[in-house]
Structures are given as C-alpha cells and as structure tokens.
Amino acid sequence: MIVAKALTKTYGDFKAVDAIDFKVKRGEAFGLLGPNGAGKSTTMRMIGATLQRSGGDLQILGKDPNTHGPEIRAHLGVVPQQDNLDRELKVWENLFIYGRYFGLSRKFLKAKVEELIGFVKLEDKRDVKVDALSGGMKRRLTIARGLVNEPEILMLDEPTTGLDPQARHVLWDRLFRLKEQGVTLVITTHYMDEAEQLCDRLIVMDKGKIMAEGSPAELIRDYSSREVVEVRFGSAKNAEVAPHLEGLGERIEVLPDRILIYAENGEQVLHQITTKGFEPLTSLVRRSSLEDVFLRLTGRTLVD
Amino acid sequence: MSLQSLVAETAVSIAERRAKRLGAGFYSGRQLMIIERSYKALRSSSWLVVLSGFVEPVFYLAAFGFGVGQLIHGMTDGNGHPVSYGAYIAPALLASSAMNGAIYDSTWNVFFKMHFAKLYEGMMSTSLGALDVALGEIGWALLRGLAYAIGFMAVMIPLGLVPSAWGLLSVAAAVLVAFGFASFGMAVTSFIKSFHGMNWINFVLLPMFLFSGTFYPLSVYPQWLQVIVQAMPLWQGVDLMRNLNFGTFNWHMLGEVAYFVVMIVLGLIFTTRRLTALFMR
C-alpha cells in the first residue's frame, strides 16, 4: 500500500528524514517507533500528502503524493498528534463537516456520523461542543473524524500521548476493531508498550534513519535477551557497583538511576548478585521489551 | 459496523473525478463546504457579537450625520448640487461597514483559526485544496460585509439618505468592496505570525477610516496628501458609493471597480500560496 525508497526530507542542511526504505502491506498495523525528533511525524506528513519530500520515491496505493495530493488524502484518515477538532462546532457537526470537506453528500453523512459516534462510544456527547470532552474522548472523536471518508489507511501520530491508562486501553480496543475490519494502520509512538500492543511490524527510527525493522517479537529476539534484571543501588552507588557485576548475563547497561542486566534467566542472575554480596535497594525481573531494543540500538532511552 | 459502504460516491471517486482538471492540486471546487462550516459555527455562537459590528457605523451616522451635521451646510454631490451632511457621509459609512464586516472575519478570526484552532491544518489534510480554503473563508467574510452593508442600507433608505434610485446599486458595490477587503485582509493575515503584528492592521484601519474622505471632501487636503489618500482602498470604495448614492457617474468609477478586482485577485493568489507553503510543503 505504501512503498518508500530512499525517502528524504531536508530543511536546509538538516536531514529530518534521511533516505529511509520501508513498505506497508494492506491490512497490517505498521509502527514508526522512536524518540521525539526522530523524523516520525515528518514521515507521516509526507505519507499524508501534506508535506513534499526532498528526495527519494514514495508511492501510496500506487500514486505519488507530490502530484496526486487530493486523491491520496481522500484515501487516508489522519489523526494528528495535537487535536485540531473544530471547537466552534458540536461533536456530531465535527464529523459531518469533515465529511463535507471530502465532498460527501449530506444524506450519506447523516447515517455515517451516527455510525461513527456509536463506534467511538460518544452517543451521550453527540450534541455538546468539543471543549466539554475529556482528553480521551477528544482523541476518540478525532479517530472517528479520520474515518468519515472510509479510508483504507488510518494514520495515527502519537495516538495516546497525554492520555491516562484507562483512556489508552479504550482507544487501543477501538484500533484493534478497525484492524479486524481490514483498515491499514500506520502509527507513530514513543511508547514501547503501545508499539508492542498494536503493531504487527515496525521500524525503529532515530535521527532520521531506520535502526531496525521487524515484528516486536523479532526485534526483541534479535536485539535483546529474553529477560532483564533491573537493580538499583541508589544513584550514587550504581556506577560503583556496576564493574563488579560484569560477566553476569549477556550484557550490562548502566543508566544513571539503575543497572540493567540482560539474560536468559533473570532470577538466576539476581541470585548471583546476592551471592556476590551485593544487596540492591530494589530489584525487578521482567521480560525484554522494545525499550531494551531501542537502548541497545541507540544507547539512549526513549523517553528522556 | 461496516466501514466500506455501498455508496457509489466515495471520497476517493470524488477526488479522482476532479484530478484531471487544471489546478486540481490546489482547488477542488468545494469552497461552499467551508462556508457551510462557518454557518454552523455561527449558529451556535453569540449573535450579539455579530450585531455589534453592524451598530458601529449606525452610531457614527447618528453622531455625525444628525449631531455634527446640524452645524454643517454647503456639502455638494459630484455635480455640485447641495446635499445634506447626513446624505454626504452615509455612503462613506456604508463603504466602511462593508469593509468592517469583511475585516472581522478575514483578519483576527483567520489568525486565530490558523495559529490556535489549527483549523486549516485539519481542512488541508482532507482532499480540499488551498484555494478552497481561501475562497471559503474570504467568501464568508464577504457575506458578513455584505450583511452589514444591507443592514446599513436598511437604515439609510427610510431616513431619506439615498436620494437616487442608482443608490440601490451600492449593495453590489458593497459586495465588491467587502470581497476586496476580505481577500486582501486574509492574505496579509496569513503572513503575520504574532499578535503584535496583528495590531498593525488596526493601526492602519482606523486612520484610513477617519481620513478617506469619509466625513469631508478631499479638497481640504494639500495636493500631495490627496494623492496618498486616493491610493487607499477605502477612499476608492467611498468615492464609488457616494457617486452611486447621488446617481452621479464618471469614468473614475470604472477605475475604482478595477482597483477592487485587482485587490481580490492579488489577495486570493497570495492567500493560496501562503496556505500551501504553510500546510503543504
């Protein structure tokens, strides 16, 4: 559905997106993962045909967004990072008018709007203005708005940033439903759990480049161990203790606030630490996540 | 829920039908959808705010036409016939109310929608083009200018301030004046980035209103100042409407019409280019 080859966006000397290649297949949930400033949103805007690329090739459903902007935008649903709902309009009017922008008929939209309000569970809020909605409701309305033109691809830029855990789960549930109905999802996020929950396949981006590509499970298998031990000795002592732990597990990362030890068997490593005579203030054995993949690839954590 | 409906007219088919036309990249022919949006927004907002813009020139007419006007005699129309002071300033206030109505929506409201409500960003991520947004917003501003002009006309006629039947053509002239100001106003606004910059618009508008031959003839100015005032868009509108109001015609009026046509076209071109640069590059 989407094919990018050496896709590049430069602003002066700065390469926001630096010759990246990727493909998105019909019906999959494709993720762009990376910290702020990695070039995710820039890539999204180029796919969304609201930003002209500086170089390389980009095809969306076989069309070039630089020359077929309106047609491509008619195929897409866009959920931007910052809500840009129409605050002067009521909830149902937001959906209705957005559909009108695509040239859809009033008759079609009357039914469509009610269907979408039901889908995002905003029946009670149908006739209120946008300002009266909570953050999670606004985001759901933005998703409904993105669906009004029955898009084949739904683009979500940081869909759950700033939402509380409950609102995030409601949102994820709706996105799963969409995926089941065959809508292709393209999602940017800097949340690892979100990427793991939603994405079939993802690319890890940093500084405009792709660092790795694959399914969440593949990435964890290729770039991390099965389990991770997190130990804290207090911020002053972490660096002091770290050299004594060398040789435990497969790899050690020392962060300012904690030490991570990658291993097949975490409990075993934790036991070895205590037998060496070190007593961590807190310890945690967990499964490897994409956070660890990112740390391995870039030497940095995702959310600073 | 079915996402793929059986309706023949999908967003994609609508966009594809349009794709072969010239300018399809920046114009889809759907400026009316933007006006529909503004109408819906207006219905749920306060009418009092809208009304206030209409009342302003009426107050000027009352204060100057009937207050100060008692003391002023010897005003003449384009052919040298004597006219009352109220009838002299009324067409100028009509031009100003067309201007004010157009300016409200095309400057501060556009500035807010562009930088804070992020409304155009949303519109431009649909299959709309930049010219649709420009035409729709300018068209809405023009409608407000026209509404104020018609309202003001409805005050002028019963007061006997429209001596010639040609004066009714002032409504058509009001469309032209409002369109010109709306188009130019939105173009200027689209280049302004700060509140500070926006204040310059008011700084220009007030003296233009006071000194564009609104309350007295240009002949009171020295020659060099007359030339400057005549270059101002409001003076062009005032002169056009005053001549229509008294049914006195001259060739200057064609130039005045052309002046507004140029203003409209330039405004549309610059607004479209600016919106494209901001949201599509």
Side-chain angles (χ1 to χ4, degrees):
Chain A
M1 294 206 108
I2 303 172
V3 182
K5 283 182 193 141
L7 181 62
T8 302
K9 180 70 190 180
T10 52
Y11 295 99
D13 289 340
F14 175 66
K15 285 188 173 173
V17 174
D18 192 358
I20 63 172
D21 298 277
F22 62 88
K23 279 183 190 172
V24 181
K25 286 175 273 187
R26 185 175 292 274
E28 78 175 336
F30 184 81
L32 289 87
L33 179 76
N36 294 329
K40 295 169 299 180
S41 297
T42 308
T43 306
M44 289 290 261
R45 286 194 57 206
M46 287 192 280
I47 298 171
T50 56
L51 185 70
Q52 303 246 323
R53 65 180 181 273
S54 315
D57 203 38
L58 182 61
Q59 298 264 314
I60 292 132
L61 296 149
K63 287 171 185 161
D64 180 341
N66 277 13
T67 53
H68 293 73
E71 287 160 81
I72 288 170
R73 293 198 297 275
H75 276 292
L76 302 177
V78 177
V79 180
Q81 194 172 341
Q82 280 183 309
D83 287 318
N84 57 9
L85 293 162
D86 199 326
R87 290 169 57 193
E88 293 176 80
L89 300 181
K90 293 169 185 165
V91 164
W92 77 268
E93 289 173 329
N94 257 283
L95 301 177
F96 186 85
I97 285 293
Y98 210 74
R100 295 290 289 156
Y101 294 159
F102 284 100
L104 299 166
S105 73
R106 291 194 178 87
K107 184 168 166 246
F108 166 76
L109 284 169
K110 275 216 167 90
K112 190 78 202 171
V113 163
E114 300 311 322
E115 177 191 320
L116 287 172
I117 285 177
F119 177 66
V120 294
K121 300 180 174 169
L122 287 175
E123 292 95 336
D124 300 345
K125 302 287 177 183
R126 187 186 178 282
D127 294 314
V128 305
K129 285 202 184 178
V130 171
D131 279 338
L133 301 182
S134 71
M137 290 174 178
K138 278 183 191 163
R139 204 52 67 88
R140 260 145 57 202
L141 179 58
T142 311
I143 288 175
R145 193 185 68 171
L147 294 171
V148 80
N149 56 322
E150 305 189 326
E152 284 154 273
I153 304 172
L154 186 65
M155 319 260 299
L156 302 122
D157 198 354
E158 305 278 354
T160 63
T161 298
L163 300 187
D164 61 57
Q166 200 194 344
R168 295 180 82 195
H169 282 282
V170 175
L171 207 81
W172 285 344
D173 169 61
R174 295 295 95 181
L175 294 177
F176 275 124
R177 295 277 175 101
L178 286 173
K179 217 180 106 184
E180 281 168 12
Q181 287 162 12
V183 178
T184 306
L185 303 178
V186 181
I187 303 162
T188 76
T189 182
H190 62 257
Y191 292 125
M192 295 300 153
D193 53 346
E194 184 158 278
E196 287 181 43
Q197 287 265 347
L198 288 177
C199 300
D200 300 320
R201 210 158 55 80
L202 51 93
I203 52 178
V204 181
M205 287 183 77
D206 190 38
K207 294 176 183 158
K209 287 191 194 311
I210 294 178
M211 310 297 289
E213 181 178 349
S215 70
E218 281 168 1
L219 288 170
I220 291 167
R221 198 183 57 218
D222 293 352
Y223 294 97
S224 193
S225 57
R226 203 172 70 91
E227 288 184 336
V228 190
V229 184
E230 289 194 14
V231 282
R232 293 168 201 260
F233 295 95
S235 46
K237 283 186 73 185
N238 282 336
E240 194 183 308
V241 175
H244 301 286
L245 304 181
E246 288 293 343
L248 295 180
E250 296 163 18
R251 203 163 54 83
I252 289 190
E253 288 279 355
V254 185
L255 301 179
D257 61 331
R258 60 196 194 273
I259 301 171
L260 304 179
I261 304 159
Y262 295 90
E264 270 306 297
N265 187 335
E267 290 296 343
Q268 195 185 339
V269 169
L270 195 58
H271 183 70
Q272 287 170 333
I273 293 173
T274 40
T275 34
K276 278 185 174 227
F278 295 106
E279 281 299 330
L281 298 173
T282 64
S283 64
L284 168 74
V285 176
R286 58 170 175 82
R287 302 285 296 244
S288 256
S289 73
L290 287 171
E291 180 86 45
D292 303 299
V293 173
F294 189 79
L295 188 64
R296 173 75 185 278
L297 288 168
T298 67
R300 291 184 291 122
T301 50
L302 262 169
V303 189
D304 314 299
Chain B
M1 181 188 102
S2 72
L3 274 171
Q4 308 295 323
S5 82
L6 297 170
V7 181
E9 282 269 279
T10 65
V12 173
S13 72
I14 291 165
E16 277 174 349
R17 187 151 33 90
R18 191 82 207 178
K20 288 162 203 81
R21 296 223 203 154
L22 194 68
F26 58 85
Y27 184 54
S28 73
R30 291 199 292 273
Q31 64 279 357
L32 286 180
M33 309 305 179
I34 312 278
I35 292 181
E36 189 176 337
R37 181 254 154 218
S38 293
Y39 174 69
K40 275 203 153 51
L42 176 70
R43 271 198 326 188
S44 51
S45 75
S46 168
W47 281 90
L48 263 145
V49 179
V50 181
L51 206 66
S52 68
F54 157 73
V55 174
E56 196 182 294
V58 176
F59 284 166
Y60 273 103
L61 183 65
F64 287 88
F66 299 99
V68 180
Q70 304 281 336
L71 312 171
I72 296 175
H73 304 283
M75 304 307 289
T76 56
D77 68 10
N79 293 338
H81 298 121
V83 296
S84 76
Y85 186 65
Y88 182 81
I89 65 166
L93 291 170
L94 181 66
S96 311
S97 65
M99 172 183 87
N100 282 339
I103 288 289
Y104 277 118
D105 274 322
S106 68
T107 60
W108 280 101
N109 286 356
V110 161
F111 186 74
F112 181 78
K113 287 176 187 172
M114 189 177 276
H115 296 287
F116 298 97
K118 307 220 174 283
L119 223 53
Y120 302 140
E121 182 190 273
M123 290 175 183
M124 304 275 269
S125 54
T126 71
S127 50
L128 285 172
L131 183 58
D132 298 292
V133 177
L135 273 174
E137 288 292 88
I138 290 164
W140 179 251
L142 144 70
L143 285 177
R144 184 157 171 184
L146 177 63
Y148 285 0
I150 290 172
F152 194 73
M153 204 65 176
V155 174
M156 279 168 74
I157 293 171
L159 292 174
L161 299 176
V162 188
S164 163
W166 290 108
L168 292 174
L169 266 184
S170 296
V171 174
V175 172
L176 198 66
V177 171
F179 200 170
F181 275 105
S183 183
F184 200 73
M186 184 164 179
V188 169
T189 303
S190 68
F191 283 91
I192 294 177
K193 291 184 184 129
S194 65
F195 279 108
H196 185 69
M198 288 303 290
N199 285 321
W200 282 99
I201 293 181
N202 294 27
F203 186 75
V204 171
L205 285 177
L206 184 67
M208 189 162 76
F209 167 66
L210 290 173
F211 301 119
S212 287
T214 321
F215 298 107
Y216 44 82
L218 276 194
S219 53
V220 304
Y221 294 136
Q223 185 62 37
W224 63 270
L225 194 54
Q226 287 188 27
V227 174
I228 293 175
V229 173
Q230 283 174 340
M232 296 290 151
L234 186 58
W235 185 84
Q236 302 273 334
V238 166
D239 194 56
L240 179 65
M241 294 219 185
R242 191 168 278 152
N243 277 309
L244 285 172
N245 200 48
F246 297 123
T248 56
F249 289 89
N250 59 55
W251 291 108
H252 288 169
M253 293 162 76
L254 282 181
E256 285 153 4
V257 170
Y259 186 105
F260 282 103
V261 171
V262 170
M263 223 172 143
I264 292 163
V265 172
L266 283 182
L268 279 172
I269 291 171
F270 279 101
T271 304
T272 305
R273 288 172 64 156
R274 181 65 179 160
L275 288 176
T276 306
L278 284 175
F279 301 108
M280 297 260 187
R281 284 278 184 275

